[in-house]
Each structure stands twice: as C-alpha cells, then as structure tokens.
Amino acid sequence: MTTTTTLPHSYADTLLDIRLNDDGGRALTDDEMVALCSEFLNAGTDTTSTALQGIMAELVKNPDIQDKLHDEIKAIVATTGLDHISEEDVHKMPYLKAVVLEGLRRHPPGYLVLPHAPAEDMELGGYMIPKGTTVNFLVADMSMDEQAWERPMQFVPERFLPGGDGEGTDITGTREIRMMPFGAGRRICPGLNVATLHLEYFVANLVRVFQWREKEGEEVDVDGEKAEFTVVMANPLRARLVPRGIV
C-alpha cells in the first residue's frame, strides 16, 4: 500500500540535501544537523513560551488589566456560544492584541537580533562602520526609549488602542521601527504571524478559564531577568490560579 502527500519537504529534508561548496561539496554531519534542528525547534518554541510567561506575569501584577481583558473575552463567548476562544475569535479582540503587543514591547524574548555586517564601508548615525564589522541592535532598548514611548517602563496595553502613543505601530518595520521583537527587513522572523496568533490564543484561553493572582508570600518579579537561550524571568512565574467557572 502506498500513500501520497501534498506536503513539501520538511526542514530535515532540506538539511539532507545541503552540500557545502566551500568545504568540498560535503553533506552536513549528523552533529551539524542535530544542532540546526535543535536551533530551529528552540527558536520556534522557547521564544513563544518566554513571551507568554512575561505577559501572564504582567496580568498577575495588573489585575485591572486582566479584568478588562476578561470582559472582552466574556463578550466574545456570549456571541459565539463556544466554550473556548477560537483562532477566528482572536481577530475580533483589539484589547487582547494590545495586551500581547505590550507584552512583546515590554518583555521581548530576544534582546538582540541576529548579527549583521556591512558589505562595504558605510556611515551610520555619524559613525563610520568598516566593511565586515559585526553590527547588532539591542531590541529591548528600542522598546524602552522615552523619546519613542510614554511611560516605557509601565505595562500599558491601552497605548496600542486608538489614541494611544503606540497606535498603528508596525512591528514588521516596513514603515518605522519603534519596536522589533521579531527583527526587521529581509531576515525578519518567518514565524511572526504564527507566534502572535499562538500568544493571543493562549492568553485568551488561560484568562477565560482562570483568574491569575499572586501566590501568597511570593511577589511576582517582572523586572528581574537572566540570559538563557532567550532572556527569561530571573524568578519563573508562580501564580495562584482560581477557576472562573463557566464563562
């Protein structure tokens, strides 16, 4: 019995097909393929889980914001009659999107983008950058710039709603760059749309089912950070979850 599929080659298939012309046309070694697959999986999962933890921590610290988000969730559930927030529902939830954008601004999982290098000598911001110099951008500092954002250290989702200082912010960098949690330009993260959808979906359903509150005796620290594969909370989130019942 044979089966057919319309799926394109997987990522592993492309690695098996690679030949390194600069190294005699050899194939990748097993160790090289394991390293690349590990990097691919971590980049697609670790970053999203890190961003999700930062957003939920902020909702624990800001119960009024969490309650406002829950009101939006209740309104959607009332119209759909479903027992969950669906993928289609999140597109109708502007405050949810604002919460996720503010989470990505305030707690970008990657503080640095991939290194770049100029192909020739060039001037940038009054500085001469020699050809081949490694250049990087501190993404987190862009999001904390007081010239670009009002009260940048505060978690304020309303800034991304009409009339806010973040209204119309383009995180792809095609119009302007005020925050770039996924990078920008030709090498922007290809998982941008999937990652934002997952964050919106998980946040909405986690808040729909539970009230997220601080655990007694354990204050949530949203400012402490440490570097691992991504920049994570120095003290991982430990919250008290209170079932909301039927919402």
Side-chain angles (χ1 to χ4, degrees):
M1 177 179 175
T2 60
T3 59
T4 59
T5 177
T6 57
L7 294 175
H9 286 335
S10 70
Y11 180 65
D13 289 327
T14 66
L15 298 181
L16 291 169
D17 291 339
I18 287 177
R19 296 296 178 268
L20 303 178
N21 295 329
D22 293 339
D23 197 4
R26 71 171 178 86
L28 294 174
T29 66
D30 287 351
D31 286 345
E32 288 169 336
M33 284 191 284
V34 168
L36 288 169
C37 286
S38 176
E39 180 182 68
F40 180 83
L41 292 171
N42 279 331
T45 56
D46 189 85
T47 50
T48 303
S49 62
T50 299
L52 179 62
Q53 183 175 203
I55 294 169
M56 298 312 299
E58 289 286 1
L59 292 178
V60 172
K61 293 289 288 185
N62 298 277
D64 54 333
I65 294 175
Q66 184 179 158
D67 291 343
K68 185 173 180 179
L69 175 58
H70 187 245
D71 287 342
E72 183 178 64
I73 292 169
K74 286 194 298 183
I76 289 292
V77 171
T79 61
T80 64
L82 299 177
D83 62 354
H84 67 282
I85 297 296
S86 70
E87 179 180 332
E88 291 74 23
D89 294 333
V90 300
H91 299 298
K92 310 168 189 173
M93 304 176 67
Y95 196 68
L96 170 65
K97 291 183 179 297
V99 167
V100 169
L101 283 174
E102 181 69 341
L104 291 171
R105 183 197 68 82
R106 185 66 182 80
H107 303 287
Y111 272 35
L112 297 169
V113 298
L114 295 177
H116 291 67
E120 57 186 29
D121 293 350
M122 64 177 296
E123 184 177 333
L124 178 64
Y127 294 90
M128 180 56 66
I129 311 297
K131 174 183 177 180
T133 301
T134 299
V135 179
N136 214 321
F137 300 90
L138 194 55
V139 173
D141 276 8
M142 294 181 182
S143 299
M144 296 293 108
D145 187 353
E146 292 184 351
Q147 297 182 27
W149 303 96
E150 299 174 5
R151 298 171 292 159
M153 296 301 295
Q154 296 184 28
F155 188 80
V156 186
E158 285 77 9
R159 73 173 79 247
F160 291 101
L161 298 177
D165 64 306
E167 180 183 4
T169 296
D170 173 26
I171 62 173
T172 67
T174 55
R175 295 193 302 271
E176 61 175 350
I177 296 179
R178 301 178 65 200
M179 58 182 283
M180 45 187 290
F182 297 95
R186 291 179 298 174
R187 292 177 177 82
I188 193 170
C189 174
L192 183 156
N193 291 328
V194 172
T196 52
L197 173 62
H198 283 176
L199 287 173
E200 292 167 0
Y201 179 83
F202 287 132
V203 169
N205 282 289
L206 289 173
V207 173
R208 185 193 69 81
V209 178
F210 299 108
Q211 294 181 48
W212 291 68
R213 299 291 183 250
E214 282 192 326
K215 187 174 183 291
E216 185 175 354
E218 293 193 22
E219 183 178 355
V220 174
D221 177 14
V222 295
D223 296 316
E225 299 165 337
K226 63 180 179 180
E228 294 184 351
F229 179 78
T230 55
V231 176
V232 301
M233 296 176 65
N235 301 301
L237 174 62
R238 288 170 59 86
R240 179 169 61 93
L241 306 188
V242 181
R244 294 184 186 274
I246 299 175
V247 178

